[in-house]
Amino acid sequence: MFSERLIRAGWMIDGSGGRVQKNVLIGIKDRFFQEIRPFPSGEMKPSTFSDLSGCTILPALADAHVHLIMSGTADQDQRKQQLNERFQQVRETISFHLKQLIAHGVLAVRDGGDRKGYTQRYKKSFMDGKESSVCLHVAGKAWHKPGRYGSFVGRALERGTLAAGIMRERNDIDHVKIIQSGMNSLRYFGKESPPQFQLNALREAVEAASRLGLKTMVHANGIVPVQIALEAGCSSIEHGFFMGKQNLNFMAEMQVYWVPTTGTMKAFAEHARGREEERLMALRNLEHQMTQMALARRLGVPIALGTDSGSVGVHHGSALIEELQLLLDAGLSIEEAIKCASYNNASLMGLDQKGLIKKGMQADFIVVKGSPSALPESLKDIFRIHVGERFL
Ligand SMILES: [Zn+2]
């Protein structure tokens, strides 16, 4: 069959979770994969294909949870400054972070919100040059209850219901972000904070978002906050620390996405200049989340890989490699871990032509040197990135 571009790959991970395939011929035509089949040895002249037989090809990756206005710096003064910068400065920061993401093969990004809606503003007017190869989905400002956690990624619901607020400010966002609990306690192991919103309010909000064609991502830790978010019909649970087996069972049954952001606790333990007790507590939280991820795999909960980049010690782009490694440490195979960052994330973001190397899907893929056994480390030095009809 005729294809405009033919590539020979030494190894291929297709993003479906299926086994690594060896020695594959990939054909691309008009920005889409046209054919994928075993490389026909002896039949093809070397001049007719690009030879990447020493490389592994995998789908372009996505990060399902970032905060583009913030860097991963652990310096508290710098963090404060970043939160209060003017748009002109923030614009450069976002652009820089998008470039870092691209360099790590991340071509789709789901932002979890910022207090001034600057990421939304950036997307509306300033996606140009190299950054335009990234598919950016924004939440604008997240919603939280007055007096509760969430002011640095959004704003409090000052009047009326959540549903009315969403309807009022629906323009130019790609999903709704609601904060439903506090942060992980760094003093008391597994301490649960009360839910910010009750079931009726949250259900109405999810329904209002859904009428606008928007999914709802809910920040929730602890059994009760997660349970309410799930009963309300949210599309994904963000973080989900200490949510427990019953909630995970429900997520497996209803196929609700979980974005564990496990690396945040590892990074905090490594980088935060806090008290020793806090560092040790972060490590215990990390360990607990690892057991939840292993359980989620056994139960069949769809895991979407998100890093929460912009948190302390969590850097845009490279954090994805850390998060992939944690999935492997929790018992996922490399094929399963890549699926979390490609197909699962694309599905969660509603990108039905992305995330898989398969006939008819968009030809967005990355090339790393060596065999899959070098992953995820080999993502630190990506050989080539292909978007649509060209290599970047
Ligand atoms: Zn976040």
Side-chain angles (χ1 to χ4, degrees):
M1 191 187 287
F2 176 77
S3 283
E4 286 189 345
R5 185 192 289 274
L6 291 171
I7 293 166
R8 176 187 185 174
W11 298 266
M12 181 187 80
I13 294 177
D14 70 4
S16 71
R19 297 287 294 274
V20 172
Q21 295 173 53
K22 277 189 195 166
N23 204 17
V24 180
L25 181 71
I26 299 171
I28 298 154
K29 193 181 177 196
D30 298 334
R31 295 173 31 245
F32 295 94
F33 292 114
Q34 173 84 357
E35 61 174 329
I36 289 117
R37 61 184 168 102
F39 187 79
S41 50
E43 282 173 38
M44 291 181 65
K45 279 193 215 152
S47 60
T48 57
F49 60 89
S50 310
D51 191 2
L52 296 171
S53 52
C55 299
T56 301
I57 287 186
L58 54 155
L61 304 174
D63 191 330
H65 192 132
V66 303
H67 298 276
L68 284 174
I69 73 155
M70 295 291 290
S71 78
T73 179
D75 183 314
Q76 285 306 326
D77 292 336
Q78 270 187 42
R79 298 188 66 77
K80 231 175 256 164
Q81 194 188 329
Q82 285 179 6
L83 277 172
N84 292 304
E85 261 157 4
R86 301 159 76 92
F87 181 69
Q88 211 55 24
Q89 184 58 41
V90 171
R91 199 181 132 180
E92 280 172 35
T93 305
I94 293 176
S95 170
F96 176 67
H97 289 155
L98 286 173
K99 288 191 181 83
Q100 285 184 311
L101 284 155
I102 294 170
H104 290 85
V106 180
L107 297 184
V109 177
R110 197 171 69 135
D111 194 88
D114 63 88
R115 70 208 286 188
K116 293 176 185 158
Y118 278 166
T119 313
Q120 177 187 8
R121 186 166 160 197
Y122 178 89
K123 181 185 174 179
K124 210 174 156 193
S125 313
F126 299 100
M127 292 285 281
D128 52 17
K130 202 174 183 185
E131 293 105 279
S132 55
S133 45
V134 177
C135 173
L136 171 60
H137 281 191
V138 298
K141 300 172 192 170
W143 295 96
H144 69 92
K145 197 175 159 184
R148 292 287 308 273
Y149 168 77
S151 64
F152 73 96
V153 293
R155 47 63 171 112
L157 176 74
E158 294 296 353
R159 62 192 165 93
T161 63
L162 258 183
I166 290 166
M167 296 304 283
R168 205 166 53 234
E169 296 182 21
R170 63 195 182 186
N171 292 328
D172 306 317
I173 58 168
D174 302 292
H175 50 263
V176 169
K177 166 82 179 287
I178 298 172
I179 314 286
Q180 169 66 349
S181 73
M183 279 186 14
N184 272 333
S185 171
L186 292 170
R187 292 190 69 178
Y188 304 103
F189 182 64
K191 182 171 186 255
E192 185 165 322
S193 56
Q196 296 202 17
F197 298 100
Q198 295 306 319
L199 179 57
N200 274 348
L202 211 51
R203 188 180 276 152
E204 270 178 37
V206 170
E207 285 170 3
S210 166
R211 279 197 298 279
L212 298 169
L214 304 175
K215 291 182 178 177
T216 304
M217 64 191 281
V218 179
H219 164 121
N221 295 313
I223 294 171
V224 175
V226 169
Q227 192 183 353
I228 293 175
L230 290 172
E231 281 180 37
C234 73
S235 299
S236 63
I237 295 292
E238 309 297 312
H239 319 301
F241 286 87
F242 303 103
M243 68 169 135
K245 189 174 180 190
Q246 259 192 334
N247 281 323
L248 283 165
N249 264 326
F250 184 89
M251 292 171 81
E253 194 185 321
M254 303 302 286
Q255 290 292 289
V256 181
Y257 286 95
W258 179 30
V259 186
T261 66
T262 306
T264 51
M265 287 296 116
K266 183 165 182 279
F268 185 89
E270 285 168 4
H271 300 284
R273 295 159 202 167
R275 303 193 334 216
E276 179 63 4
E277 306 92 271
E278 290 188 347
R279 199 183 70 77
L280 293 174
M281 191 57 75
L283 286 176
R284 284 182 73 189
N285 292 342
L286 164 67
E287 201 179 310
H288 189 268
Q289 190 77 327
M290 294 295 285
T291 62
Q292 288 204 137
M293 289 206 295
L295 180 58
R297 178 185 180 267
R298 282 203 299 281
L299 296 173
V301 177
I303 295 176
L305 187 142
T307 57
D308 214 358
S309 290
S311 302
V312 170
V314 187
H315 303 281
H316 294 275
S318 60
L320 192 101
I321 299 170
E322 302 262 345
E323 199 72 25
L324 281 169
Q325 185 59 52
L326 290 170
L327 288 175
L328 299 180
D329 295 346
L332 277 76
S333 66
I334 186 66
E335 294 96 332
E336 289 168 336
I338 294 296
K339 180 190 180 193
C340 296
S342 58
Y343 177 68
N344 286 1
N345 278 354
S347 305
L348 174 58
M349 291 174 71
L351 306 171
D352 40 356
Q353 286 190 316
K354 291 180 187 275
L356 288 177
I357 297 180
K358 187 183 169 190
K359 186 177 176 181
M361 304 294 276
Q362 277 180 33
D364 298 352
F365 62 87
I366 53 189
V367 183
V368 290
K369 286 188 181 161
S371 78
S373 64
L375 287 166
E377 279 289 300
S378 53
L379 289 168
K380 282 184 182 160
D381 185 20
I382 290 182
F383 181 49
R384 303 195 81 175
I385 300 175
H386 192 276
V387 183
E389 67 260 298
R390 66 193 172 91
F391 282 105
L392 282 184

